[in-house]
Amino acid sequence: TDNGEGASMIGVEDANDYFSATTVEGVLAESHAKGRVKLLTVPLEDCQANSTVRTMALATGGDATVVAIHVCFYTPPSSDAGAVTLDVKRWKAATDEEVSLLSAAFDLESLTAKESAELTLTDTSADLQLADGDSVYVEITSDNADMTGGTDGAVTIDLVV
């Protein structure tokens, strides 16, 4: 729902009533033309060495489709002896099931400071269809104690509502 001042919550109408495209790219192009894409930017908790940090991104109040996800860090994480990855997960309220919205966890060490990177979404389109009561969260995992950086990050989720 739109509060009339540009801020929106995810109270949604059925996107199938408004879009004729059959691909995510087509829906995104049509939705931009119709002004139906909502961008949700979420500041992330700082990365922690040798641990997993979760940040709740959204709780849905209706149906929406995830069409893109981007990540950016002012200071990306680095680990000489390990890996630092990011995953974006959906908890399905109807089935009490957790699924990744990405094709694979993203290597945060590949980021360039202050530059946004688009994440590769899952090929399972049903997993990108959010329903009432679902939630989406970001999970950052470091598997080594030598990690540095990983501060001042954000994720932007593009939704068709």
Side-chain angles (χ1 to χ4, degrees), residues 16-148:
N16 293 327
D17 290 340
Y18 297 99
F19 302 102
S20 61
T22 58
T23 65
V24 169
E25 293 80 10
V27 168
L28 187 57
E30 276 192 51
S31 63
H32 274 290
K34 295 181 178 188
R36 306 279 302 167
V37 169
K38 304 295 182 182
L39 304 178
L40 174 69
T41 298
V42 179
L44 298 173
E45 297 288 330
D46 288 347
C47 301
Q48 300 294 320
N50 211 29
S51 64
T52 297
V53 176
R54 291 178 189 88
T55 302
M56 187 59 68
L58 71 99
T60 61
D63 298 336
T65 302
V66 176
V67 294
I69 302 174
H70 294 82
V71 64
C72 181
F73 271 84
Y74 191 85
T75 306
S78 176
S79 175
D80 290 333
V84 185
T85 60
L86 176 142
D87 202 352
V88 181
K89 297 185 177 182
R90 169 188 174 200
W91 178 76
K92 297 180 178 183
T95 60
D96 192 23
E97 176 186 10
E98 177 184 274
V99 296
S100 177
L101 299 180
L102 305 180
S103 64
F106 180 77
D107 176 9
L108 286 175
E109 295 177 89
S110 69
L111 289 174
T112 300
K114 301 173 258 182
E115 289 185 15
S116 177
E118 185 169 0
L119 307 180
T120 303
L121 299 177
T122 178
D123 289 333
T124 308
S125 60
D127 289 344
L128 300 172
Q129 307 293 318
L130 306 180
D132 188 25
D134 289 355
S135 59
V136 174
Y137 63 93
V138 178
E139 186 174 84
I140 298 174
T141 302
S142 165
D143 66 1
N144 198 284
D146 78 339
M147 189 211 77
T148 60

